[in-house]
Amino acid sequence: MAAVYQALHRRASSLLCRLHSTYVRKMRYLNKLKEDDSLCRQAQTSGTFYLFHNLSPFLQKAGRKYLVPQLSAAEMRRILEKSPEAEQWMEESVLVGCSDEHIPHFALDLGALEKSVIESELQGSFTDLQKALFVVDGKDSPLLASAQSLLRWHDSHQYCSKTGQPTQKNPAGSKRVCQASGITYYPQVSPVVITLVSDGSRCLLARQPSFPPGMFTALSGFCDVGETVEEAVRREVAEEVGLEVESLLYSASQHWPFPSGSLMLGCHALVGAQQAEISMDSLELEEARWFGLEEIVEGLKREPRSSKQDDGSSLPWFPPKQAIAHQLIREWVRQQSAQA
Ligand SMILES: NC(=O)c1ccc[n+]([C@@H]2O[C@H](COP(=O)([O-])OP(=O)(O)OC[C@H]3O[C@@H](n4cnc5c(N)ncnc54)[C@H](O)[C@@H]3O)[C@@H](O)[C@H]2O)c1
Ligand SMILES: [Mg+2]
C-alpha cells in the first residue's frame, strides 16, 4: 500500500514539475536578467518595448478596443534614429517581464522626444494611466501599472540621498547604485491596507472630498514604519471612523500605481454590532456610513454617469472591477448572500 502511495506521489510530483516548469524557468530567466548586466544588454537587442511619454502609456485603438503595442528593438531604433542619443535611450529602459519563450519585455519613457511625432508615426496616443487602466484588456492593466511605477521611481531617484551624487541604474532597472557611497537603492513600494468593515449585516464605505460625486469605497491607509498589517488595519479603522476591529481576515493584494506605487493589502474586518456608531475623521473623509446588502447590490449595477439625479446629487456607486475595493465589496456580497 505504501509503495503504491509513493509511486502515485512521485507521478503527481513529476506532473506538477512539468506543469510548473515553464513558469519556474521564466522566473529564473527574469532573475538572471536582473543580476547579469551583459545578458540583459544583449536581451535588449531582441526584446520588445512598451512606450511611455511622461509616464503616460502608448495605446492604439482597434475598433472599440484599446491595445498596448509592443515594439521590436528594430522598430525602436527606427523611432530613435533621429535622436542624437539613441543608444543612451535604450539604456533608460526597464525590464517588466518576459514571454513563455523568454522574449524579454522592457518599458521606456520617451518624455524628452516630441510626443505628436511618435503618435503620428505609430498611429496611437499616449494616454493618461488612470484612463488607460480602465480601457485596456484586464491582463494588460497590471503590467502598465507596474511599468509606470518602476519608470516613475527611476525618474525620481536620480541622486544619492547621502552624497547628492548621481546614481546609475543597472540595465534591467531593478536597482540604482551610487558609486561614491556604494549605496544600492531598490524600487520603493508603500504598503497600504484597504479594509472593508462589516458589523455582520452591513458594510462601511466612505468618501474623501476629492472623489468623483457619488463614489464610495472601503477605508484605506498607508502602513506606518514597524507596523504589522493587522495593526495598520486596526489603527486606520480607529482613526478614520472611530471603531474597534474585533477580527480581521486577509483577502488579496494588488499593486496600485497612484500616487507612486502602493501594495494594497485587502482585508475584511468585523466590528461588534452593538458598538457600530461611526465617529468620522472629517479631516480626511467627507462621508462614512453603513450600507445594507440591497443598497450595495444596487450600487454595483450603477455607473458614474447613471448615478446623477435630476437635483444634481448623485446616488452611490463603487470603484470599478480593476480596483481591489471592488473585489472586497463583491466578496462581502457573496458572503452575505450565502448567509441569507
Ligand atoms: N485600488 C483601490 O481599490 C484603492 C481604494 C482606496 C484607496 N486606494 C489607494 O490607497 C492609498 C492610500 O489611501 P489614503 O489616501 O486613504 O491613505 P491615508 O489614510 O494613509 O491618508 C493619506 C495620508 O497619509 C500620509 N502618508 C503616510 N505615508 C504615506 C506614503 N508612503 N505616501 C503618501 N502619503 C503617506 C500622507 O499625509 C497622506 O496625505 C491612496 O493612494 C489610494 O489611491 C486604492
Ligand atoms: Mg485613508
Side-chain angles (χ1 to χ4, degrees):
M1 192 63 191
V4 173
Y5 177 76
Q6 274 170 8
L8 273 171
H9 182 72
R10 265 202 305 277
R11 185 123 190 266
S13 307
S14 106
L15 255 168
L16 210 64
C17 197
R18 255 179 280 157
L19 262 178
H20 285 172
S21 66
T22 307
Y23 173 76
V24 170
R25 277 189 288 118
K26 193 165 129 173
M27 291 306 121
R28 292 197 169 154
Y29 175 62
L30 280 171
N31 195 38
K32 216 165 157 190
L33 289 178
K34 290 179 193 164
E35 298 301 323
D36 185 336
D37 291 353
S38 59
L39 186 71
C40 190
R41 279 205 186 87
Q42 205 183 319
Q44 275 173 353
T45 62
S46 58
T48 66
F49 292 79
Y50 292 98
L51 295 188
F52 285 73
H53 193 279
N54 288 333
L55 301 175
S56 292
F58 181 74
L59 305 185
Q60 277 170 338
K61 198 156 190 239
R64 300 176 84 198
K65 284 189 177 166
Y66 284 87
L67 308 177
V68 189
Q70 296 178 45
L71 276 74
S72 68
E75 285 173 300
M76 286 304 302
R77 272 193 291 277
R78 191 172 56 75
I79 293 170
L80 294 172
E81 78 186 352
K82 290 161 211 140
S83 158
E85 297 127 5
E87 284 309 312
Q88 220 170 306
W89 275 110
M90 296 295 261
E91 282 278 310
E92 293 306 311
S93 61
V94 296
L95 180 69
V96 291
C98 79
S99 69
D100 287 350
E101 296 74 33
H102 294 192
I103 295 173
H105 306 318
F106 295 88
L108 178 58
D109 196 302
L110 299 175
L113 301 186
E114 190 55 55
K115 188 164 104 167
S116 55
V117 175
I118 310 170
E119 287 181 331
S120 67
E121 193 156 335
L122 297 176
Q123 309 218 321
S125 56
F126 291 101
T127 309
D128 183 63
L129 184 70
Q130 206 135 11
K131 180 185 170 206
L133 288 187
F134 299 115
V135 295
V136 299
D137 192 275
K139 70 171 176 20
D140 290 324
S141 26
L143 183 126
L144 288 185
S146 51
Q148 196 225 37
S149 294
L150 191 53
L151 289 170
R152 183 196 296 280
W153 179 78
H154 281 284
D155 186 46
S156 53
H157 289 77
Q158 308 258 323
Y159 295 93
C160 174
S161 56
K162 192 167 173 80
T163 63
Q165 295 295 310
T167 53
Q168 271 82 46
K169 85 179 247 309
N170 67 337
S174 56
K175 58 187 172 189
R176 300 189 75 90
V177 177
C178 168
Q179 303 298 346
S181 64
I183 299 175
T184 303
Y185 293 91
Y186 294 97
Q188 250 167 2
V189 179
S190 302
V192 171
V193 289
I194 173 157
T195 312
L196 187 61
V197 174
S198 171
D199 72 347
S201 61
R202 302 171 298 171
C203 72
L204 196 164
L205 299 177
R207 45 176 285 111
Q208 296 180 6
S210 59
F211 287 3
M215 192 187 95
F216 281 80
T217 188
L219 302 175
S220 59
F222 289 93
C223 293
D224 280 347
V225 171
E227 230 176 16
T228 63
V229 170
E230 294 85 339
E231 285 164 348
V233 166
R234 291 200 154 90
R235 177 184 53 76
E236 280 293 333
V237 173
E239 274 178 17
E240 297 191 358
V241 291
L243 298 176
E244 265 193 58
V245 166
E246 282 185 354
S247 63
L248 66 98
L249 199 65
Y250 168 77
S251 168
S253 63
Q254 171 188 52
H255 172 80
W256 192 245
F258 315 108
S260 57
S262 304
L263 176 64
M264 307 291 305
L265 301 152
C267 295
H268 291 277
L270 201 62
V271 298
Q274 62 283 8
Q275 59 107 21
E277 196 177 323
I278 296 169
S279 137
M280 189 184 76
D281 168 17
S282 48
L283 280 180
E284 178 170 346
L285 301 176
E286 179 180 83
E287 194 178 348
R289 67 174 179 88
W290 293 105
F291 287 72
L293 180 59
E294 213 171 295
E295 199 180 0
I296 291 286
V297 171
E298 284 308 306
L300 282 169
K301 291 184 203 151
R302 216 169 273 134
E303 290 203 353
R305 256 174 287 146
S306 64
S307 77
K308 251 221 149 93
Q309 291 185 295
D310 292 342
D311 64 0
S313 66
S314 295
L315 292 167
W317 56 278
F318 313 129
K321 63 176 189 303
Q322 292 84 348
I324 194 162
H326 184 98
Q327 294 173 39
L328 290 172
I329 296 170
R330 286 233 177 251
E331 274 171 4
W332 183 80
V333 168
R334 274 199 296 277
Q335 187 224 351
Q336 288 290 309
S337 312
Q339 272 175 13

